[in-house]
Amino acid sequence: MSATAAMVERPPPRTRGWPRPRIVGYALVCLWIAFGLGIVGYLVFAWNPAFFAKYAPAYLRGLGVTLSLVAISMVLGAVLSMPVAYGRMSRNRILSGLAYCYVYFFRGTPLLVQTFLVYYGLGSFRPELQMIGLWDFFKDAFNCGVFAFALNTAAYQAEILRGAIESVHKGQWEGAASLGLHKLQTLRKIILPQALIVALRPYGNELILMVKASAIVAIITVYDLMGNAKLAFANSFDIQAYIWVALVYLVMVELLRHAIEWIERRITIHLKR
C-alpha cells in the first residue's frame, strides 16, 4: 500500500505571486475603469446646462427616429428573411443559388455602401421611379435608410433562421410525419418553437448590431440620434455632443442585452434541471 502511494504523482507546487496574464488582465480592467471615471469626471466638471437645455429635446426626437428606423427595418427584414431562408434550404438549384447570391452580397459588402447605393444610386433613376410611382418613397432619406437596412438584416436573419431550423434533429420531422402532420404543421408547431430557442441569442445580437449601425443614416441627412449629435457639435464645437450620444447608445445596448437574457431564461426554464 505504501508502494502504491509512492507511485502517485504529487500535485505541482502552488505558484507564488501573480502570473503575467493575470497582471495584464487587471491592468486592462484598471485602464478601462480609469477611462470611464475620466469621462464621468469630464461630464461633471464641464457640465453645461445651456447646452443640455438647448439640445436635449433634439436628442429625444433623434432617439425616436433611431428606434423607429431599427424597429421597422427589423420587422421588414424578418418578413423578407423567410423566403430567403426557404430558398437557401431548397433543393432547387436555381432558387437556392439566387438566395445564396442575395445573402452573399448583403453579408459581404459594408452596410454604408449599401445605404449609399440605395440613397444615391436610386436617385439616378428618378424619371423611371416617377413613372412607376416609387419616387415619392425613395426621395425621403428615412425611407431609403429603412429600405437598405431591411435588405441587409434580411440576409443575416435568413442565415440565423436557416441555421436554427437545421439544428433541429431530423427525427422531429420523422416523428411528426408518423403522426400524420403536414410539413407546414410540423414546421409551425414542432420545428419553429425549438428553432427559435436556438435563434434567440443570434437575433438579439443582430438587433444590437442594427441599433449601433443605425448611426450610418446620419450621413444621408437623416436626423436620428447621431444626426442630431452631429448638428449639436457643428453648432457648439462641444465634445459633449458625442459623449452624451455614446452614453445613450450604451444604455440602449445594455437594456436590450438584459432583455434578451431575461427572455432566454423564461423560454428555456423547462430545459434546466
Side-chain angles (χ1 to χ4, degrees):
M1 188 171 182
S2 60
T4 304
M7 294 176 61
V8 176
E9 296 183 0
R10 293 184 177 182
R14 185 176 180 180
T15 305
R16 295 184 178 182
W18 284 14
R20 182 177 299 177
R22 188 177 182 183
I23 295 174
V24 173
Y26 275 103
L28 291 175
V29 170
C30 292
L31 182 63
W32 278 110
I33 293 174
F35 178 76
L37 292 176
I39 294 295
V40 173
Y42 173 80
L43 292 176
V44 170
F45 289 106
W47 172 254
N48 187 352
F51 175 88
F52 195 81
K54 183 177 180 180
Y55 295 108
Y59 274 45
L60 290 176
R61 290 193 300 270
L63 177 61
V65 173
T66 296
L67 295 177
S68 300
L69 173 71
V70 174
I72 297 173
S73 301
M74 288 295 294
V75 171
L76 293 178
V79 174
L80 182 59
S81 69
M82 296 178 187
V84 177
Y86 175 79
R88 291 281 286 124
M89 295 184 293
S90 176
R91 295 181 180 179
N92 188 315
R93 291 186 177 182
I94 298 177
L95 192 60
S96 63
L98 291 174
Y100 174 80
C101 291
Y102 175 88
V103 172
Y104 181 82
F105 175 80
F106 283 99
R107 293 182 67 193
T109 57
L111 179 56
L112 178 62
V113 174
Q114 297 166 19
T115 306
F116 280 175
L117 286 174
V118 173
Y119 182 68
Y120 295 109
L122 292 180
S124 303
F125 299 95
R126 177 175 178 176
E128 290 79 5
L129 293 174
Q130 286 177 332
M131 290 177 60
I132 58 178
L134 291 178
W135 175 245
D136 289 336
F137 177 84
F138 286 108
K139 71 178 181 181
D140 191 332
F142 179 83
N143 294 338
C144 290
V146 168
F147 186 75
F149 276 50
L151 292 178
N152 178 271
T153 190
Y156 287 92
Q157 291 189 48
E159 287 298 284
I160 293 171
L161 183 60
R162 179 182 68 87
I165 291 175
E166 291 182 347
S167 69
V168 180
H169 195 273
K170 65 178 182 180
Q172 301 287 332
W173 292 94
E174 296 171 353
S178 66
L179 295 174
L181 293 178
H182 190 268
K183 285 187 176 182
L184 187 60
Q185 292 177 317
T186 304
L187 182 65
R188 182 171 59 89
K189 296 183 178 181
I190 298 176
I191 303 302
L192 280 182
Q194 299 178 68
L196 290 178
I197 295 176
V198 178
L200 177 62
R201 186 57 65 93
Y203 271 125
N205 293 337
E206 175 62 15
L207 176 59
I208 290 173
L209 289 174
M210 287 293 291
V211 169
K212 294 188 290 186
S214 64
I216 289 176
V217 297
I219 304 177
I220 59 171
T221 69
V222 176
Y223 286 102
D224 66 329
L225 188 58
M226 187 62 184
N228 281 285
K230 287 178 59 180
L231 183 62
F233 181 77
N235 293 331
S236 63
F237 294 100
D238 192 339
I239 195 61
Q240 289 188 70
Y242 289 123
I243 295 178
W244 283 114
V245 77
L247 292 177
V248 173
Y249 277 114
L250 183 62
V251 169
M252 284 195 296
V253 168
E254 283 301 306
L255 289 176
L256 287 172
R257 184 175 66 85
H258 286 290
I260 293 164
E261 289 178 354
W262 180 82
I263 295 172
E264 187 176 27
R265 287 196 301 267
R266 294 289 297 176
I267 67 176
T268 59
I269 193 170
H270 64 286
L271 300 177
K272 297 178 181 179
R273 297 289 186 267

